[in-house]
Amino acid sequence: MLLSPNDAQSCLKCGKCTSGCDINRLDPSFIPHRLIHLVTMGMVADSISEYSIWKCSTCFTCSERCPQRIKVTEILWMLKEKAFKEGKSPDFVSKQSEIIKTHAKLFPISDKDNARRQKAGLPVIEEYPDGLANLRQILGDK
Amino acid sequence: MKQVGLFLGCNIPFNRPDIEYSARYILKELGVDAVDLEGASCCPAFGTMPSLDIEGWAAASAWNLVLADEKGIDLVTGCGSCYGSLNEAKHHMESHPELKEKVNQIYAKVGKEYKGTAKISNFINFLYESVGLENIKAKVKNNLNGLKCAVQTGCHNLWPSRAYPSNEDNTFYPKRMREICEALGGAAPHYSAITDCCGMGALRSNASDKSLALFKKKLDVIKEELDPDICVIGCSSCLLQFDGGQALLAEQKKLNYQIPALHLVQLTALALGADVDKVAAFAKIPLNGVINKIKGGN
């Protein structure tokens, strides 16, 4: 975890993150500046108990708009990482992470996929090339 | 001949190998040698490991940069998620030396070292800067004949801007893809939702209905303001939403129009003379209108 709640302390509560947030326009229950406010108040537990942290699309618009250059998206990563470690994350999050740790790819290439690729005039991709074995071990050990 | 490492990521070779075909085609046409990266891993995308395990993310991401360094090449990718994650991981390791040290401690066990020399580009910046608009124009065989393009750069091709070696003058008013489409003979006007998120990524995995609703909001603006012949997409993840997402919305009877969608490298390949059956082999939305227009029909 590279960021801490201190990295959110300069928040002005101006709401520019929220007013530029596509997810907020679609789902008003996702309020980035409220989450940042909870973090600055030391209420990390309250912010991670909100399921809404998982609604973030990680588009980074909030971070780009922030006049204080607060890394809003990464503050949410910090909350997600903490939530994940406390077992408070949706199933898909751990499933995707496990796939990457096992295969070192989100979509491993099978024989069927390679047949499709060859039909499209593309080279075969080895599912587990020798060069990937070490990384699979590294990730598997984590 | 100029060389570049072709970073395919997970999505393109698995879901849309026609983007890979097009990328290889245009690189060859433009006189660039595409170097394959055997043993490349997942980038991994922002919605996955970066949200859960920063060290694991950095170790997985940097693996690809080590492969590039070992070959002495820079990378280019057609996926905005890969572009974002690889650059952000590199940026994190540069700004947090303790993270780089941790990754190298892990790598030492398998005889690798992350140095961080290789640069990561996307096809937008590669075509715009490394190839250049005039060189692209000189290679056009099938002029787009005024084809009206709605451009989608993709969030992670723009942001987080602090991590990127090259970018738009104003990331909230992107022009590079529009200028590339114009160099191919198309028209690519600005529209008000040009930088809006398409809803792909973690949101699509987590809440498919919300993801598609967000996408439809953007597509409705495109239809209303531009009514384009085609959507041209700078990111393979966004393309899955623009092509497959329209098909899903149509199945759910939530969309009563269709706009064909191609990745920027696919449109470029068409203009540079590639066969449409190969360039768009896995497109769900028919491209007949686009092809007729390029051939000079209506």
Side-chain angles (χ1 to χ4, degrees):
Chain A
M1 206 179 284
L2 298 174
L3 296 183
S4 76
N6 287 337
D7 291 294
Q9 286 304 330
S10 63
C11 175
L12 302 170
K13 325 286 185 291
C14 70
K16 201 174 174 188
C17 51
T18 301
S19 65
C21 175
D22 289 331
I23 304 299
N24 172 267
R25 274 199 286 277
L26 188 76
D27 179 349
S29 73
F30 181 68
I31 310 169
H33 76 276
R34 182 167 182 273
L35 290 167
I36 297 295
H37 177 65
L38 288 172
V39 170
T40 61
M41 297 294 286
M43 298 163 78
V44 172
D46 297 77
S47 56
I48 68 165
S49 69
E50 294 203 18
Y51 182 77
S52 76
I53 57 173
W54 301 99
K55 290 176 184 167
C56 171
S57 74
T58 69
C59 70
F60 287 90
T61 307
C62 50
S63 304
E64 294 290 326
R65 286 168 58 91
C66 177
Q68 296 291 81
R69 310 290 291 164
I70 293 173
K71 296 173 178 174
V72 182
T73 308
E74 281 131 307
I75 297 283
L76 294 193
W77 289 357
M78 178 190 79
L79 298 177
K80 287 178 188 173
E81 187 173 357
K82 193 163 167 49
F84 176 68
K85 285 177 179 161
E86 292 177 10
K88 295 174 185 170
S89 59
D91 286 347
F92 87 93
V93 173
S94 46
K95 277 182 190 159
Q96 285 191 338
S97 183
E98 278 312 304
I99 290 171
I100 294 171
K101 285 183 177 179
T102 307
H103 303 282
K105 298 243 174 146
L106 194 53
F107 302 114
I109 298 284
S110 66
D111 290 346
K112 194 177 152 198
D113 301 318
N114 266 323
R116 191 171 174 237
R117 288 177 54 78
Q118 281 182 295
K119 208 173 158 188
L122 292 167
V124 165
I125 293 179
E126 274 187 75
E127 188 174 1
Y128 298 124
D130 293 343
L132 207 53
N134 285 332
L135 179 64
R136 290 177 63 222
Q137 174 143 17
I138 287 169
L139 296 177
D141 288 345
K142 281 193 69 62
Chain B
M1 184 186 260
K2 189 174 180 171
Q3 283 194 327
V4 72
L6 185 57
F7 186 77
L8 297 171
C10 299
N11 244 329
I12 290 176
F14 179 83
N15 277 315
R16 290 303 298 261
D18 46 355
I19 299 176
E20 180 183 338
Y21 174 86
S22 304
R24 292 180 188 279
Y25 181 92
I26 65 168
L27 288 173
K28 193 174 173 192
E29 286 293 308
L30 295 167
V32 181
D33 185 17
V35 179
D36 286 314
L37 291 173
E38 300 87 3
S41 71
C42 184
C43 59
F46 290 128
T48 60
M49 289 181 79
S51 304
L52 313 176
D53 174 2
I54 294 284
E55 276 173 20
W57 162 54
S61 198
W63 191 260
N64 302 299
L65 307 180
V66 170
L67 293 180
D69 273 352
E70 285 173 351
K71 288 178 184 278
I73 51 174
D74 291 330
L75 299 177
V76 66
T77 176
C79 173
S81 302
C82 296
Y83 179 68
S85 182
L86 294 174
N87 272 305
E88 176 78 334
K90 180 176 173 160
H91 175 74
H92 266 268
M93 285 184 284
E94 279 167 7
S95 49
H96 298 275
E98 70 277 16
L99 180 64
K100 182 177 174 183
E101 199 180 317
K102 180 76 188 171
V103 167
N104 272 330
Q105 280 171 6
I106 296 170
Y107 283 176
K109 293 174 197 162
V110 295
K112 297 265 185 193
E113 185 189 359
Y114 171 72
K115 292 179 183 149
T117 309
K119 293 191 180 76
I120 310 105
S121 189
N122 56 28
F123 269 99
I124 303 165
N125 295 335
F126 186 79
L127 289 173
Y128 190 84
E129 289 184 321
S130 301
V131 177
L133 297 178
E134 290 307 314
N135 288 329
I136 295 170
K137 269 185 203 170
K139 295 283 182 181
V140 170
K141 290 177 185 155
N142 299 321
N143 187 290
L144 295 186
N145 203 17
L147 191 78
K148 195 196 276 185
C149 307
V151 159
Q152 158 80 357
T153 304
C155 300
H156 298 149
N157 280 325
L158 298 167
W159 309 310
S161 59
R162 62 183 143 66
Y164 294 160
S166 168
N167 214 331
E168 303 276 350
D169 291 337
N170 176 354
T171 61
F172 287 93
Y173 188 69
K175 288 180 176 172
R176 290 184 175 188
M177 273 185 71
R178 291 171 54 205
E179 290 181 35
I180 295 168
C181 290
E182 285 162 9
L184 301 173
H190 178 74
Y191 61 97
S192 64
I194 197 163
T195 57
D196 285 7
C197 176
C198 72
M200 197 47 174
L203 188 68
R204 178 76 182 267
S205 312
N206 191 17
S208 176
D209 55 336
K210 285 193 169 59
S211 159
L212 289 171
L214 192 65
F215 168 56
K216 187 173 182 300
K217 274 169 79 104
K218 174 157 188 150
L219 201 67
D220 283 345
V221 173
I222 289 172
K223 179 73 178 166
E224 185 189 333
E225 293 183 13
L226 298 187
D227 196 15
D229 297 308
I230 190 168
C231 294
V232 183
I233 318 298
C235 160
S236 54
S237 296
C238 300
L239 181 67
L240 294 179
Q241 190 82 319
F242 271 80
D243 189 41
Q246 283 193 64
L248 284 173
L249 285 167
E251 271 173 36
Q252 295 167 11
K253 304 202 183 306
K254 290 177 181 167
L255 194 67
N256 57 9
Y257 59 87
Q258 273 192 326
I259 309 171
L262 287 179
H263 192 285
L264 176 67
V265 298
Q266 293 176 294
L267 187 73
T268 307
L270 274 183
L272 266 50
D275 180 355
V276 66
D277 293 335
K278 289 190 170 167
V279 162
F282 302 105
K284 288 191 163 62
I285 301 171
L287 287 151
N288 304 353
V290 171
I291 302 304
N292 282 342
K293 182 121 187 182
I294 295 174
K295 286 180 177 167
N298 293 317

